[in-house]
């Protein structure tokens, strides 16, 4: 497939007729040179040396940094609308999983699909996320659960980044579920975790396919001890860790992850006070996933007020996956984070920009518009920033500058 990125015009030049979300009452200006931010500020303060550059007129649009979706399972085969129907008829997520549905049914479909099929399916989902202003995205493995099929997922993730000119961070989630071929064994879980740590992870890391390592630490997935075994293997390879922690119960996963300097702990509906304190000390980002909360009709809210009081940075993400969050709009998650979790609008917008970038270790290059950073920003057809959280089901994007190119709205 021909890379899509090559068709995008350069964003170099002077962007005017815009209002920066940080100071929306005055006209702003951004200078892009060789794909990077050269200068940003009020139009009235623009240094004379930039005034003659070729101009992009933003038509009064509001500008934010490019969005960062810091937790997705975007690459998988098939879909699971049937389980959605089962849950509507009363089955719980855990019951669906025990009945042979759940993650394992996506594993079957992912193993059956070849790389190009997976690419095509994930590409159409990616295009929808990008249409919402996403400029960087995390993509996890975890639906292959064998070396061959995890590799296939991660290779597709890398190819998506190259084709669309979007920053992709790959996360190895081999410890997502027990593969069916291990399910009946006496020590199936232990044997599988040994395979994850001793064979799959080292091989995939050596192939340059792994930017971080994640575990689903939960009653229906892997124990605290198994999680620590995976973290040790990651650390031995110099890879950062993150964790699906305390989604359905308090397993003490966040405190463990914090001890390993985790980039983020994600879900955390059942996070304890000790977990919050551990995350604060280690600088771990709390990733809130309102799409999964909503889909599962969860009622146990994440401890947002306590996270806020502790000063733990909060990110917001789609958790796009076929089981618990078939969400294809990060802006909708901004709305839900405010409506369901009571984030303020600035918190929710920081949650999909600066803090989401931190959750991926990308804070030097994404989540802000600052001199020296690659040019990633979005022009929105709104008057004020609160509208980005207020409307839902609307697509207010006017233009997207991604990695220094005008990926959407090329006439701007
Ligand atoms: N937590 C989740 O919410 C998803 N994975 C995970 O570890 C669910 C994935 C699925 O149901 O396919
Ligand atoms: Fe997830």
């Amino acid at each position: 497939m021909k890379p899509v990125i090559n068709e995008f015009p350069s964003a170099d030049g002077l962007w005017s007729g815009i209002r920066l979300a940080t100071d929306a009452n005055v006209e702003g200006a951004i200078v892009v040179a060789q794909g990077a931010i050269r200068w940003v500020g009020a139009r009235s303060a623009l240094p004379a040396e930039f005034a003659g550059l070729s101009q992009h007129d933003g038509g009064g649009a509001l500008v934010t940094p490019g969005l960062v979706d810091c937790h997705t399972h975007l690459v998988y085969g098939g879909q699971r609308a049937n389980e959605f129907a089962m849950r509507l008829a009363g089955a719980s997520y855990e019951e669906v999983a025990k009945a042979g549905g759940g993650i394992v049914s996506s594993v079957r479909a992912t193993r059956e699909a070849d790389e190009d099929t997976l690419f095509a399916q994930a590409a159409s989902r990616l295009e929808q996320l990008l249409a919402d202003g996403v400029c960087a995205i995390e993509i996890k493995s975890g639906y292959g659960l064998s070396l061959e099929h995890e590799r296939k997922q991660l290779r597709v993730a890398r190819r998506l980044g190259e084709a669309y000119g979007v920053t992709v961070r790959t996360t190895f989630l081999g410890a997502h579920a027990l593969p069916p071929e291990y399910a009946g064994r006496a020590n199936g879980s232990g044997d599988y975790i040994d395979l994850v740590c001793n064979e799959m992870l080292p091989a995939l890391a050596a192939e340059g396919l792994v930017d971080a390592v994640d575990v689903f630490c939960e009653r229906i997935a892997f124990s605290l001890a198994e999680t620590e075994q995976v973290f040790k293997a990651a650390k031995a390879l110099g890879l950062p860790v993150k964790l699906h922690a305390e989604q359905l119960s308090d397993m003490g996963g966040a405190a463990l992850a914090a001890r390993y300097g985790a980039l983020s702990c994600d879900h955390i509906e059942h996070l304890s006070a000790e977990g919050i304190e551990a995350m604060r000390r280690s600088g771990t980002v709390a990733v809130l996933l309102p799409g999964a909360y909503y889909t599962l009709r969860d009622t146990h809210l994440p401890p947002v007020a306590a996270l806020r009081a502790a000063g733990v940075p909060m990110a917001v993400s789609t958790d796009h996956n076929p089981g618990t969050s078939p969400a294809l709009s990060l802006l909708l998650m901004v709305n839900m984070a405010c409506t369901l979790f009571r984030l303020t609008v600035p918190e929710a917008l920081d949650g999909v920009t600066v803090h989401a970038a931190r959750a991926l270790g990308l804070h030097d290059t994404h989540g802000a518009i600052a001199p020296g950073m690659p040019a990633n920003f979005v022009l929105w057809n709104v008057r004020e920033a609160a509208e980005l959280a207020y409307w839902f089901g609307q697509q207010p994007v006017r233009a997207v500058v991604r990695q220094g190119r005008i990926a959407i709205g090329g006439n701007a």
Side-chain angles (χ1 to χ4, degrees):
M1 194 195 118
K2 179 161 59 76
V4 179
I5 178 79
N6 294 345
E7 295 160 16
F8 301 147
S10 163
D12 280 10
L14 170 61
W15 291 75
S16 57
I18 57 174
R19 294 168 303 114
L20 302 167
T22 42
D23 190 6
N25 295 323
V26 303
E27 188 188 351
I30 298 173
V31 176
V32 178
Q34 292 175 335
I37 305 291
R38 181 73 192 281
W39 189 89
V40 58
R43 176 72 177 81
S44 58
L46 183 76
E49 60 183 296
F50 301 129
L53 293 175
S54 71
Q55 301 237 357
H56 304 274
D57 177 15
L62 189 86
V63 175
T64 69
L67 306 190
V68 177
D69 195 352
C70 66
H71 177 143
T72 87
H73 311 245
L74 194 73
V75 177
Y76 54 84
Q79 47 80 15
R80 309 225 301 269
N82 61 326
E83 288 175 20
F84 179 68
M86 278 174 75
R87 285 203 305 274
L88 289 179
S92 70
Y93 180 56
E94 283 157 291
E95 283 162 0
V96 168
K98 287 195 177 120
I103 295 172
V104 170
S105 73
S106 291
V107 171
R108 270 194 302 275
T110 303
R111 288 177 173 182
E112 278 164 20
D114 65 21
E115 196 176 305
D116 287 343
T117 304
L118 286 180
F119 180 93
Q121 291 176 354
S124 86
R125 296 189 283 265
L126 178 63
E127 286 180 14
Q128 295 183 65
L129 289 169
L130 297 179
D132 244 12
V134 167
C135 291
I137 184 168
E138 187 242 26
I139 301 178
K140 301 177 195 290
S141 68
Y143 290 115
L145 307 185
S146 71
L147 177 58
E148 174 194 356
H149 296 293
E150 291 283 299
R151 176 190 284 126
K152 183 173 66 176
Q153 270 192 285
L154 293 169
R155 282 174 48 94
V156 169
R158 284 272 187 259
R159 277 177 59 195
L160 288 168
E162 286 155 19
Y164 286 88
V166 56
T167 301
V168 168
R169 298 300 276 178
T170 55
T171 298
F172 173 65
L173 180 57
H176 191 199
L178 196 59
E181 60 276 17
Y182 282 78
R185 295 197 197 177
N187 186 35
S189 198
D191 290 350
Y192 179 62
I193 291 295
D194 286 346
L195 180 79
V196 163
C197 294
N198 303 335
E199 290 179 38
M200 291 162 69
L201 177 55
L204 297 170
E207 290 170 35
L209 289 171
V210 181
D211 296 326
V213 176
D214 192 354
V215 175
F216 188 16
C217 179
E218 195 54 68
R219 290 192 304 250
I220 57 167
F222 296 100
S223 70
L224 207 56
E226 290 165 336
T227 301
E228 182 157 21
Q229 195 184 332
V230 177
F231 284 178
K232 283 195 171 129
K235 283 290 148 185
L237 294 165
L239 293 169
V241 301
K242 44 199 10 278
L243 190 65
H244 279 74
E246 346 291 20
Q247 179 186 7
L248 309 170
S249 61
D250 179 14
M251 303 270 293
L256 172 71
R259 275 204 278 123
Y260 281 81
L263 288 171
S264 69
C265 290
D266 304 40
H267 285 288
I268 56 171
E269 278 83 349
H270 294 261
L271 181 64
S272 67
E274 296 74 45
I276 293 173
E277 174 55 18
M279 288 172 66
R280 184 193 63 76
R281 279 200 305 268
S282 60
T284 298
V285 177
V287 178
L288 305 174
L289 304 169
Y293 179 93
Y294 166 82
T295 301
L296 296 173
R297 302 181 72 224
D298 200 346
T299 52
H300 199 293
L301 284 164
V304 166
L307 288 163
R308 180 186 290 135
V312 173
M314 291 181 279
V316 174
S317 168
T318 59
D319 188 20
H320 177 89
N321 76 73
T324 61
S325 192
L328 289 168
S329 164
L330 188 53
L331 268 196
L332 178 57
M333 301 303 114
V334 166
N335 170 271
M336 286 186 181
C338 294
T339 304
L340 298 175
F341 293 169
R342 288 318 202 203
L343 263 62
T344 66
V345 171
E347 281 174 340
L349 293 176
D350 283 352
V352 292
T353 53
V354 60
H355 298 323
R358 182 164 293 278
L360 298 179
L362 289 177
H363 42 281
D364 290 337
T365 52
H366 287 78
I369 305 170
M373 281 191 172
N376 288 295
F377 56 86
V378 186
L379 277 64
W380 305 97
N381 288 318
V382 299
R383 286 300 306 164
E384 53 181 305
E387 287 182 73
L388 298 175
Y390 161 74
W391 303 106
F392 59 96
Q394 193 214 29
Q395 287 216 318
V397 166
R398 175 189 171 100
V400 176
V401 170
R402 196 162 75 232
Q403 291 190 359
R405 291 175 182 260
I406 308 173
I408 296 177
N411 303 325

